[in-house]
Coordinates of all heavy atoms in Angstrom, one line a residue:
M1 N 0.8 -1.1 0.0 CA 0.0 0.0 0.0 C 0.9 1.3 0.0 O 1.8 1.4 0.8 CB -0.9 -0.1 1.3 CG -1.8 1.2 1.4 SD -2.9 1.1 2.9 CE -4.0 -0.2 2.5
T2 N 0.6 2.2 -0.9 CA 1.4 3.4 -0.9 C 0.8 4.4 0.2 O -0.3 4.2 0.7 CB 1.2 4.1 -2.3 OG1 -0.2 4.5 -2.4 CG2 1.6 3.2 -3.4
R3 N 1.6 5.5 0.4 CA 1.2 6.5 1.4 C -0.1 7.1 1.0 O -1.0 7.4 1.8 CB 2.2 7.5 1.4 CG 2.0 8.7 2.4 CD 3.3 9.6 2.3 NE 3.3 10.6 3.3 CZ 2.5 11.7 3.4 NH1 1.8 11.9 2.3 NH2 2.5 12.5 4.3
E4 N -0.3 7.4 -0.4 CA -1.5 8.0 -0.8 C -2.7 7.0 -0.7 O -3.9 7.4 -0.3 CB -1.4 8.3 -2.3 CG -0.5 9.4 -2.6 CD 1.1 9.1 -2.4 OE1 1.4 7.9 -2.5 OE2 1.9 10.0 -2.1
E5 N -2.5 5.7 -0.8 CA -3.6 4.7 -0.7 C -3.9 4.7 0.8 O -5.2 4.6 1.1 CB -3.2 3.4 -1.2 CG -3.0 3.3 -2.7 CD -2.4 2.0 -3.2 OE1 -1.6 1.5 -2.4 OE2 -2.8 1.6 -4.3
L6 N -3.0 4.7 1.7 CA -3.3 4.7 3.1 C -4.1 5.9 3.5 O -5.2 5.7 4.2 CB -2.0 4.7 3.9 CG -2.1 4.8 5.5 CD1 -3.0 3.7 6.0 CD2 -0.8 4.9 6.1
K7 N -3.7 7.1 3.0 CA -4.5 8.3 3.5 C -5.9 8.2 2.9 O -6.8 8.6 3.5 CB -3.8 9.5 2.9 CG -2.5 9.8 3.7 CD -1.8 11.1 3.4 CE -2.3 12.1 4.4 NZ -1.6 13.4 4.2
A8 N -6.1 7.7 1.7 CA -7.4 7.5 1.0 C -8.2 6.6 1.9 O -9.5 6.8 2.1 CB -7.3 7.1 -0.4
N9 N -7.6 5.5 2.3 CA -8.4 4.5 3.2 C -8.7 5.1 4.6 O -9.8 4.8 5.1 CB -7.5 3.2 3.4 CG -7.6 2.3 2.3 OD1 -8.7 1.9 1.9 ND2 -6.6 1.9 1.7
L10 N -7.8 5.9 5.1 CA -8.1 6.6 6.3 C -9.3 7.5 6.2 O -10.1 7.6 7.1 CB -6.9 7.4 6.8 CG -5.8 6.5 7.5 CD1 -4.4 7.2 7.5 CD2 -6.2 6.0 8.8
V11 N -9.5 8.2 5.1 CA -10.6 9.1 4.9 C -11.8 8.3 4.6 O -12.9 8.6 5.1 CB -10.3 10.0 3.7 CG1 -11.4 10.8 3.3 CG2 -9.2 11.0 4.1
S12 N -11.8 7.2 3.8 CA -13.0 6.6 3.2 C -13.5 5.5 4.2 O -14.8 5.2 4.2 CB -12.8 6.0 1.8 OG -11.8 5.0 2.0
N13 N -12.7 4.9 5.0 CA -13.2 3.8 5.9 C -14.0 4.4 7.0 O -13.6 5.2 7.8 CB -12.0 3.0 6.4 CG -12.5 1.7 7.1 OD1 -13.3 1.8 8.1 ND2 -11.9 0.6 6.6
P14 N -15.4 3.9 7.1 CA -16.1 4.6 8.1 C -15.8 4.4 9.6 O -16.2 5.2 10.4 CB -17.6 4.0 7.8 CG -17.3 2.8 7.0 CD -16.0 3.0 6.3
K15 N -15.1 3.3 9.9 CA -14.8 3.1 11.2 C -13.2 3.3 11.6 O -12.8 3.1 12.7 CB -15.1 1.6 11.7 CG -16.6 1.5 11.7 CD -17.0 0.0 12.1 CE -18.6 -0.1 12.1 NZ -19.0 -1.3 12.4
G16 N -12.5 3.5 10.5 CA -11.1 3.8 10.7 C -10.3 2.6 10.4 O -10.7 1.5 10.1
L17 N -9.0 2.7 10.7 CA -8.0 1.7 10.5 C -7.3 1.4 11.8 O -7.1 2.3 12.6 CB -7.0 2.0 9.3 CG -7.6 2.2 8.1 CD1 -6.4 2.6 7.1 CD2 -8.2 1.0 7.5
M18 N -6.8 0.1 12.0 CA -5.9 -0.2 13.1 C -4.5 -0.2 12.5 O -4.3 -1.0 11.6 CB -6.2 -1.5 13.7 CG -5.3 -1.9 14.9 SD -5.4 -0.7 16.3 CE -7.0 -1.0 16.9
V19 N -3.6 0.7 12.9 CA -2.3 0.8 12.3 C -1.3 0.4 13.5 O -1.3 0.9 14.6 CB -2.0 2.1 11.8 CG1 -0.6 2.2 11.3 CG2 -2.9 2.5 10.8
S20 N -0.5 -0.6 13.2 CA 0.6 -1.0 14.0 C 1.9 -0.4 13.5 O 2.1 -0.6 12.3 CB 0.8 -2.5 14.2 OG -0.5 -3.0 14.8
F21 N 2.7 0.2 14.3 CA 3.9 0.8 13.8 C 5.0 0.8 15.0 O 4.7 0.6 16.1 CB 3.8 2.1 13.4 CG 3.3 3.2 14.3 CD1 4.1 4.0 15.1 CD2 1.9 3.3 14.5 CE1 3.6 4.9 16.0 CE2 1.3 4.1 15.5 CZ 2.2 4.9 16.2
T22 N 6.3 0.9 14.6 CA 7.3 0.9 15.4 C 7.7 2.4 15.8 O 7.9 3.2 14.9 CB 8.7 0.3 14.8 OG1 8.3 -1.0 14.5 CG2 9.8 0.2 15.9
K23 N 7.7 2.7 17.2 CA 7.9 4.1 17.6 C 9.4 4.4 17.5 O 10.3 3.4 17.4 CB 7.4 4.3 19.0 CG 5.9 4.2 19.0 CD 5.3 4.2 20.4 CE 5.8 5.3 21.3 NZ 5.1 5.4 22.6
A24 N 9.8 5.6 17.7 CA 11.2 5.9 17.7 C 12.0 5.2 18.7 O 13.3 5.0 18.5 CB 11.3 7.4 17.9
D25 N 11.4 4.8 19.9 CA 12.1 4.1 20.9 C 12.1 2.6 20.7 O 12.4 1.8 21.5 CB 11.6 4.5 22.3 CG 10.1 4.0 22.6 OD1 9.6 3.4 21.6 OD2 9.6 4.3 23.6
D26 N 11.7 2.2 19.5 CA 11.6 0.8 19.1 C 10.5 -0.1 19.8 O 10.4 -1.2 19.6 CB 13.0 0.1 19.3 CG 14.0 0.4 18.3 OD1 13.6 0.8 17.1 OD2 15.2 0.4 18.5
S27 N 9.6 0.7 20.5 CA 8.5 0.0 21.0 C 7.4 -0.1 19.9 O 7.4 0.7 18.9 CB 7.9 0.6 22.2 OG 7.5 1.9 21.9
I28 N 6.4 -1.0 20.0 CA 5.4 -1.2 19.1 C 4.1 -0.5 19.6 O 3.8 -0.6 20.7 CB 5.0 -2.7 18.8 CG1 6.3 -3.4 18.3 CG2 3.8 -2.9 17.8 CD1 6.7 -3.1 16.9
R29 N 3.4 0.3 18.7 CA 2.2 1.0 19.1 C 1.1 0.6 18.1 O 1.4 0.4 16.9 CB 2.5 2.4 18.9 CG 1.2 3.3 18.9 CD 0.9 3.7 20.3 NE 0.2 5.1 20.4 CZ -1.1 5.2 20.3 NH1 -1.9 4.1 20.1 NH2 -1.7 6.4 20.3
N30 N 0.0 0.2 18.7 CA -1.3 -0.1 17.9 C -2.2 1.1 18.1 O -2.6 1.4 19.2 CB -1.9 -1.4 18.4 CG -1.0 -2.6 18.3 OD1 -0.5 -2.7 17.2 ND2 -0.8 -3.3 19.3
M31 N -2.7 1.7 17.0 CA -3.5 2.8 17.1 C -4.7 2.7 16.1 O -4.5 2.4 15.0 CB -2.7 4.1 16.7 CG -3.5 5.4 16.7 SD -2.7 6.9 16.3 CE -1.0 6.5 15.9
A32 N -5.9 2.9 16.7 CA -7.1 3.0 16.0 C -7.2 4.5 15.5 O -7.2 5.4 16.3 CB -8.3 2.7 16.8
C33 N -7.2 4.6 14.2 CA -7.0 6.0 13.7 C -7.9 6.2 12.5 O -8.3 5.3 11.8 CB -5.6 6.5 13.4 SG -4.7 5.3 12.3
T34 N -8.1 7.5 12.2 CA -8.9 7.9 11.0 C -8.6 9.2 10.5 O -7.9 10.0 11.2 CB -10.4 7.8 11.5 OG1 -11.2 8.0 10.2 CG2 -10.8 8.9 12.4
L35 N -9.1 9.5 9.3 CA -9.1 10.8 8.8 C -10.5 11.1 8.1 O -10.8 12.0 7.4 CB -8.1 11.0 7.6 CG -6.6 11.2 8.1 CD1 -5.6 11.2 7.0 CD2 -6.4 12.3 9.1
N36 N -11.4 10.2 8.5 CA -12.8 10.3 8.1 C -13.5 11.5 8.7 O -13.5 11.6 9.9 CB -13.6 9.1 8.4 CG -15.0 9.0 7.9 OD1 -15.8 9.9 8.1 ND2 -15.3 8.0 7.1
P37 N -14.0 12.4 7.9 CA -14.5 13.7 8.5 C -15.6 13.5 9.6 O -15.7 14.3 10.5 CB -15.2 14.3 7.2 CG -14.4 13.8 6.1 CD -14.1 12.4 6.5
K38 N -16.3 12.4 9.6 CA -17.4 12.3 10.6 C -16.8 11.9 12.0 O -17.5 12.1 13.0 CB -18.4 11.3 10.2 CG -18.1 9.9 10.2 CD -19.3 9.0 9.8 CE -18.9 7.5 10.0 NZ -20.1 6.6 9.7
H39 N -15.5 11.5 12.1 CA -14.9 11.3 13.3 C -14.0 12.4 13.8 O -13.6 12.4 14.9 CB -14.1 10.0 13.2 CG -14.8 8.8 13.1 ND1 -15.6 8.2 14.1 CD2 -14.9 7.8 12.0 CE1 -16.2 7.1 13.7 NE2 -15.8 6.9 12.4
L40 N -13.7 13.3 12.9 CA -12.8 14.4 13.2 C -13.6 15.5 14.1 O -14.8 15.7 13.8 CB -12.2 15.1 12.1 CG -11.4 14.1 11.1 CD1 -10.9 14.8 9.9 CD2 -10.3 13.4 11.9
P41 N -12.8 16.2 14.9 CA -13.5 17.2 15.7 C -13.8 18.5 14.8 O -13.1 18.6 13.7 CB -12.4 17.7 16.8 CG -11.2 17.3 16.0 CD -11.4 16.0 15.3
T42 N -14.8 19.3 15.2 CA -15.1 20.4 14.4 C -14.0 21.4 14.6 O -13.3 21.4 15.6 CB -16.5 21.1 14.9 OG1 -16.3 21.5 16.2 CG2 -17.6 20.1 14.6
P43 N -13.8 22.3 13.6 CA -12.7 23.2 13.7 C -12.7 24.1 15.0 O -11.7 24.5 15.5 CB -12.8 24.1 12.5 CG -13.5 23.4 11.6 CD -14.5 22.5 12.4
T44 N -13.9 24.4 15.6 CA -13.9 25.2 16.7 C -13.5 24.5 18.0 O -13.0 25.1 18.9 CB -15.4 25.7 16.9 OG1 -16.2 24.6 17.0 CG2 -15.8 26.7 15.9
E45 N -13.6 23.1 18.0 CA -13.2 22.3 19.2 C -11.9 21.6 19.0 O -11.4 21.1 20.0 CB -14.3 21.2 19.5 CG -14.5 20.2 18.4 CD -15.7 19.3 18.7 OE1 -16.6 19.7 19.5 OE2 -15.8 18.3 18.0
A46 N -11.3 21.7 17.9 CA -10.0 21.0 17.6 C -8.8 22.0 17.7 O -8.9 23.1 17.4 CB -10.1 20.4 16.2
V47 N -7.9 21.4 18.2 CA -6.5 22.0 18.2 C -5.8 21.4 17.0 O -5.8 20.3 16.7 CB -5.7 21.7 19.5 CG1 -4.4 22.4 19.3 CG2 -6.5 22.2 20.6
K48 N -5.1 22.3 16.2 CA -4.4 21.8 15.0 C -3.3 20.8 15.5 O -2.7 21.0 16.6 CB -3.8 22.9 14.3 CG -4.6 23.6 13.3 CD -3.7 24.3 12.3 CE -4.4 24.2 11.0 NZ -3.6 24.7 9.9
P49 N -3.0 19.8 14.7 CA -2.0 18.9 15.1 C -0.6 19.6 15.2 O -0.3 20.3 14.4 CB -2.0 17.9 14.0 CG -2.9 18.4 12.8 CD -3.6 19.5 13.4
K50 N 0.1 19.2 16.3 CA 1.4 19.7 16.5 C 2.3 19.5 15.3 O 3.2 20.1 14.9 CB 2.1 19.2 17.7 CG 1.4 19.6 19.0 CD 2.1 19.0 20.2 CE 1.2 19.2 21.5 NZ 1.8 18.5 22.6
S51 N 2.0 18.3 14.8 CA 2.9 17.8 13.6 C 2.7 18.4 12.3 O 3.4 18.2 11.3 CB 2.7 16.3 13.4 OG 2.8 15.6 14.7
D52 N 1.7 19.3 12.2 CA 1.4 20.0 11.0 C 2.5 20.6 10.3 O 2.8 20.6 9.2 CB 0.3 21.1 11.2 CG -0.8 21.1 10.2 OD1 -1.0 20.0 9.5 OD2 -1.6 22.1 10.1
R53 N 3.5 21.3 11.1 CA 4.7 21.9 10.6 C 5.6 20.9 10.1 O 6.2 21.1 9.1 CB 5.4 22.8 11.7 CG 4.4 24.0 12.1 CD 5.1 24.8 13.3 NE 5.5 24.0 14.4 CZ 4.8 23.8 15.4 NH1 3.6 24.3 15.5 NH2 5.3 22.9 16.4
K54 N 5.8 19.9 10.9 CA 6.7 18.8 10.5 C 6.3 18.2 9.2 O 7.1 17.7 8.5 CB 6.8 17.9 11.7 CG 7.4 18.3 12.9 CD 7.4 17.2 13.9 CE 7.7 17.7 15.3 NZ 7.5 16.7 16.3
Q55 N 5.0 18.0 9.0 CA 4.6 17.2 7.8 C 5.1 17.9 6.6 O 5.4 17.2 5.6 CB 2.9 17.2 7.8 CG 2.5 16.3 6.8 CD 0.9 16.0 6.9 OE1 0.3 16.9 7.6 NE2 0.4 15.1 6.4
N56 N 5.1 19.2 6.5 CA 5.7 19.9 5.3 C 7.2 19.4 5.0 O 7.6 19.3 4.0 CB 5.6 21.4 5.4 CG 4.0 21.8 5.4 OD1 3.3 21.0 4.8 ND2 3.8 22.9 6.1
D57 N 7.9 19.3 6.2 CA 9.4 18.9 6.1 C 9.6 17.5 6.0 O 10.6 17.1 5.4 CB 10.1 19.4 7.4 CG 10.0 20.9 7.6 OD1 9.8 21.6 6.7 OD2 10.2 21.3 8.8
D58 N 8.6 16.6 6.4 CA 8.9 15.2 6.3 C 7.7 14.5 5.6 O 6.6 14.3 6.2 CB 9.0 14.6 7.7 CG 9.4 13.1 7.7 OD1 9.4 12.5 6.7 OD2 9.6 12.6 8.8
P59 N 7.8 14.2 4.4 CA 6.7 13.7 3.5 C 6.5 12.2 4.0 O 5.3 11.6 3.6 CB 7.3 13.6 2.1 CG 8.7 13.7 2.3 CD 9.0 14.4 3.5
N60 N 7.2 11.6 4.9 CA 7.1 10.3 5.4 C 6.0 10.3 6.6 O 5.5 9.3 7.1 CB 8.4 9.8 5.8 CG 8.4 8.2 6.0 OD1 7.6 7.5 5.5 ND2 9.2 7.8 7.1
L61 N 5.7 11.5 7.2 CA 5.0 11.6 8.4 C 3.6 11.6 8.0 O 3.0 12.2 7.1 CB 5.2 12.8 9.1 CG 4.8 13.0 10.5 CD1 5.4 12.0 11.4 CD2 5.0 14.4 11.0
I62 N 2.7 10.7 8.7 CA 1.3 10.7 8.5 C 0.6 11.2 9.8 O 0.9 10.6 10.8 CB 0.8 9.2 8.3 CG1 1.5 8.5 7.3 CG2 -0.7 9.1 8.1 CD1 1.2 9.0 5.8
V63 N -0.2 12.2 9.6 CA -0.9 12.8 10.8 C -2.4 12.3 10.8 O -3.0 12.3 9.7 CB -0.9 14.3 10.8 CG1 -1.7 14.9 11.9 CG2 0.5 14.9 10.7
V64 N -2.8 11.7 11.9 CA -4.2 11.1 11.9 C -4.9 11.5 13.3 O -4.2 12.0 14.2 CB -4.1 9.5 11.9 CG1 -3.5 9.1 10.6 CG2 -3.2 9.0 13.0
W65 N -6.2 11.2 13.3 CA -6.9 11.4 14.4 C -7.0 10.0 15.2 O -7.4 9.0 14.6 CB -8.4 11.8 14.2 CG -9.2 12.1 15.4 CD1 -10.2 11.3 15.8 CD2 -9.1 13.2 16.3 NE1 -10.8 11.8 17.0 CE2 -10.0 13.0 17.3 CE3 -8.3 14.4 16.2 CZ2 -10.3 13.9 18.3 CZ3 -8.5 15.3 17.3 CH2 -9.4 15.0 18.3
D66 N -6.4 10.0 16.4 CA -6.4 8.8 17.3 C -7.8 8.6 17.9 O -8.2 9.5 18.7 CB -5.3 8.9 18.4 CG -5.2 7.6 19.2 OD1 -6.3 6.9 19.4 OD2 -4.1 7.3 19.7
I67 N -8.6 7.6 17.5 CA -10.0 7.4 17.9 C -10.1 7.2 19.3 O -11.0 7.7 20.0 CB -10.7 6.2 17.1 CG1 -10.7 6.6 15.6 CG2 -12.0 6.0 17.7 CD1 -11.0 5.5 14.7
Q68 N -9.2 6.5 20.0 CA -9.3 6.2 21.4 C -8.8 7.3 22.3 O -9.4 7.5 23.3 CB -8.6 4.8 21.7 CG -9.3 3.7 21.0 CD -8.5 2.4 21.1 OE1 -7.2 2.5 20.9 NE2 -9.1 1.3 21.1
A69 N -7.7 8.0 21.8 CA -7.3 9.1 22.6 C -8.0 10.4 22.4 O -7.8 11.4 23.1 CB -5.7 9.3 22.4
N70 N -8.8 10.4 21.3 CA -9.5 11.7 20.9 C -8.6 12.8 20.7 O -8.8 14.0 21.3 CB -10.6 12.1 21.8 CG -11.8 11.1 21.7 OD1 -12.1 10.7 20.5 ND2 -12.3 10.7 22.8
N71 N -7.5 12.6 20.0 CA -6.5 13.7 19.8 C -5.6 13.3 18.5 O -5.6 12.2 18.0 CB -5.5 13.7 21.0 CG -5.0 15.0 21.2 OD1 -5.0 15.9 20.3 ND2 -4.5 15.3 22.5
W72 N -4.9 14.4 18.0 CA -4.1 14.1 16.9 C -2.8 13.4 17.2 O -2.2 13.6 18.2 CB -3.7 15.4 16.2 CG -5.0 16.2 15.6 CD1 -5.7 17.3 16.1 CD2 -5.5 15.8 14.4 NE1 -6.7 17.5 15.3 CE2 -6.6 16.8 14.2 CE3 -5.3 14.9 13.4 CZ2 -7.4 16.8 13.1 CZ3 -6.2 14.9 12.3 CH2 -7.2 15.9 12.1
R73 N -2.5 12.5 16.4 CA -1.1 11.7 16.6 C -0.5 11.6 15.2 O -1.2 11.8 14.2 CB -1.4 10.3 17.1 CG -2.1 10.2 18.5 CD -1.1 10.7 19.5 NE -1.7 10.4 20.9 CZ -2.1 11.3 21.7 NH1 -2.2 12.5 21.3 NH2 -2.6 11.0 22.9
S74 N 0.8 11.2 15.3 CA 1.4 10.9 13.8 C 2.3 9.8 14.0 O 2.7 9.3 15.1 CB 2.1 12.2 13.5 OG 3.2 12.5 14.4
F75 N 2.7 9.3 12.9 CA 3.7 8.1 12.7 C 4.3 8.2 11.4 O 3.7 8.9 10.5 CB 3.0 6.8 13.0 CG 1.9 6.5 12.1 CD1 2.0 5.9 10.8 CD2 0.5 6.8 12.5 CE1 1.0 5.7 10.0 CE2 -0.5 6.6 11.6 CZ -0.3 6.0 10.3
K76 N 5.4 7.5 11.3 CA 6.1 7.6 10.0 C 5.7 6.4 9.2 O 5.5 5.3 9.6 CB 7.6 7.5 10.2 CG 8.1 8.8 10.9 CD 9.6 8.9 10.8 CE 10.0 10.2 11.4 NZ 11.2 10.8 10.8
F77 N 5.4 6.8 7.9 CA 4.9 5.6 7.0 C 5.8 4.5 7.0 O 5.3 3.3 6.9 CB 4.7 6.3 5.6 CG 4.1 5.3 4.6 CD1 2.8 5.0 4.7 CD2 4.9 4.7 3.7 CE1 2.3 4.0 3.7 CE2 4.5 3.8 2.7 CZ 3.1 3.4 2.7
D78 N 7.1 4.7 6.8 CA 8.1 3.5 6.8 C 8.2 2.8 8.0 O 8.9 1.7 8.1 CB 9.3 4.0 6.2 CG 10.1 5.0 7.1 OD1 9.6 5.2 8.2 OD2 11.2 5.4 6.7
S79 N 7.5 3.1 9.2 CA 7.5 2.5 10.4 C 6.4 1.6 10.6 O 6.2 0.7 11.5 CB 7.6 3.4 11.7 OG 6.4 4.0 11.8
I80 N 5.4 1.5 9.7 CA 4.2 0.7 9.7 C 4.6 -0.8 9.6 O 5.3 -1.2 8.7 CB 3.2 1.0 8.6 CG1 2.7 2.5 8.9 CG2 2.0 0.1 8.7 CD1 1.8 3.0 7.8
T81 N 4.0 -1.6 10.5 CA 4.2 -3.1 10.4 C 2.9 -3.7 10.1 O 3.0 -5.0 9.6 CB 4.7 -3.7 11.8 OG1 3.8 -3.3 12.8 CG2 6.0 -3.1 12.2
M82 N 1.8 -3.2 10.3 CA 0.5 -3.9 10.0 C -0.6 -2.8 9.9 O -0.6 -1.9 10.6 CB 0.1 -4.9 11.0 CG -1.1 -5.7 10.6 SD -1.7 -6.8 12.0 CE -2.4 -5.6 13.0
I83 N -1.6 -3.1 8.9 CA -2.7 -2.2 8.8 C -3.9 -3.1 8.6 O -3.9 -4.1 7.9 CB -2.7 -1.4 7.5 CG1 -1.4 -0.4 7.6 CG2 -3.9 -0.5 7.3 CD1 -1.1 0.3 6.3
S84 N -5.0 -2.8 9.5 CA -6.3 -3.7 9.2 C -7.4 -2.7 9.5 O -7.3 -1.7 10.1 CB -6.3 -4.8 10.3 OG -6.2 -4.4 11.6
K85 N -8.6 -3.1 8.9 CA -9.8 -2.3 9.1 C -10.4 -2.6 10.5 O -10.2 -3.7 11.0 CB -10.9 -2.8 8.1 CG -10.5 -2.4 6.7 CD -11.7 -2.7 5.7 CE -11.3 -2.3 4.3 NZ -12.3 -2.7 3.4
I86 N -11.0 -1.6 11.0 CA -11.6 -1.8 12.3 C -13.0 -2.2 12.1 O -13.9 -1.8 11.2 CB -11.6 -0.4 13.1 CG1 -10.3 0.0 13.4 CG2 -12.5 -0.5 14.3 CD1 -10.1 1.4 14.0
V87 N -13.4 -3.3 12.9 CA -14.7 -4.0 12.7 C -15.7 -3.2 13.5 O -16.9 -2.9 13.2 CB -14.7 -5.5 13.0 CG1 -16.1 -6.1 13.0 CG2 -13.7 -6.2 12.1
S88 N -15.4 -2.8 14.7 CA -16.2 -2.2 15.6 C -15.4 -1.2 16.5 O -14.2 -1.4 16.7 CB -17.1 -3.1 16.6 OG -16.1 -3.8 17.5
I89 N -16.0 -0.1 16.9 CA -15.3 0.9 17.7 C -15.9 0.8 19.2 O -17.1 0.9 19.4 CB -15.6 2.3 17.1 CG1 -15.0 2.4 15.8 CG2 -15.0 3.4 18.1 CD1 -15.3 3.7 15.1
R90 N -15.0 0.7 20.1 CA -15.4 0.8 21.6 C -15.3 2.2 22.0 O -14.2 2.8 21.9 CB -14.5 -0.1 22.4 CG -14.8 -1.6 22.2 CD -13.9 -2.4 23.2 NE -14.0 -3.7 22.8 CZ -13.2 -4.6 23.2 NH1 -12.2 -4.3 24.1 NH2 -13.3 -5.9 22.9
E91 N -16.3 2.8 22.4 CA -16.3 4.1 22.8 C -15.6 4.2 24.2 O -15.7 3.4 25.1 CB -17.7 4.7 23.0 CG -18.5 4.9 21.7 CD -17.8 5.8 20.7 OE1 -17.3 6.8 21.2 OE2 -17.8 5.6 19.6
K92 N -14.8 5.1 24.3 CA -14.1 5.4 25.6 C -15.1 5.8 26.7 O -15.9 6.7 26.5 CB -13.1 6.5 25.5 CG -12.0 6.7 26.5 CD -11.0 7.6 26.1 CE -10.0 7.8 27.2 NZ -8.9 8.7 26.9
A93 N -15.1 5.1 27.8 CA -16.0 5.3 28.9 C -15.8 6.7 29.4 O -14.7 7.2 29.7 CB -15.8 4.3 30.0
K94 N -16.9 7.4 29.7 CA -16.8 8.9 30.2 C -17.1 8.8 31.7 O -18.0 8.2 32.1 CB -17.8 9.7 29.5 CG -17.5 10.0 28.0 CD -18.4 11.0 27.4 CE -18.1 11.1 26.0 NZ -19.0 12.1 25.3
A95 N -16.2 9.5 32.4 CA -16.4 9.4 33.9 C -17.3 10.4 34.4 O -17.7 11.4 33.8 CB -15.0 9.8 34.5

């Protein structure tokens, strides 16, 4: 899968994707993420991703909405070890 195909899947998949990747410290991270507009915060409630500036400098960086953390996260495309479709989303319990 190319970087462009991944981004297209992140936008079009209604429940998002589960992406596994190797972090900079060599640990493995599994993230339920999306770029589907119905899961993204509205502009008034969202803070722009910190990685926005870096994305212009690093074409390898993918900025996504972390469904479980409800925040922007990023990872490097070449660090991905697995991608799968999410079958169901467990909502984070609200206290």
Side-chain angles (χ1 to χ4, degrees):
M1 179 179 294
T2 67
R3 183 180 189 277
E4 291 74 25
E5 290 170 329
L6 172 60
K7 289 185 98 173
N9 277 306
L10 285 162
V11 170
S12 65
N13 192 299
K15 295 183 180 175
L17 299 176
M18 182 60 71
V19 177
S20 298
F21 58 94
T22 305
K23 292 173 48 173
D25 66 1
D26 286 329
S27 63
I28 301 295
R29 166 89 152 87
N30 299 310
M31 182 180 357
C33 54
T34 188
L35 289 175
N36 187 301
K38 73 178 187 179
H39 291 292
L40 301 180
T42 61
T44 56
E45 63 188 18
V47 176
K48 273 198 142 188
K50 293 178 192 174
S51 305
D52 226 16
R53 295 180 305 269
K54 295 178 194 172
Q55 192 171 16
N56 295 332
D57 296 340
D58 188 354
N60 193 35
L61 196 66
I62 307 287
V63 178
V64 296
W65 183 256
D66 184 328
I67 295 169
Q68 294 169 325
N70 288 322
N71 210 339
W72 293 102
R73 299 287 189 260
S74 63
F75 54 86
K76 295 196 176 213
F77 180 74
D78 62 5
S79 71
I80 297 171
T81 57
M82 186 186 75
I83 301 169
S84 59
K85 289 183 180 180
I86 295 175
V87 178
S88 66
I89 299 173
R90 288 187 191 161
E91 294 296 326
K92 194 173 181 178
K94 295 183 180 182

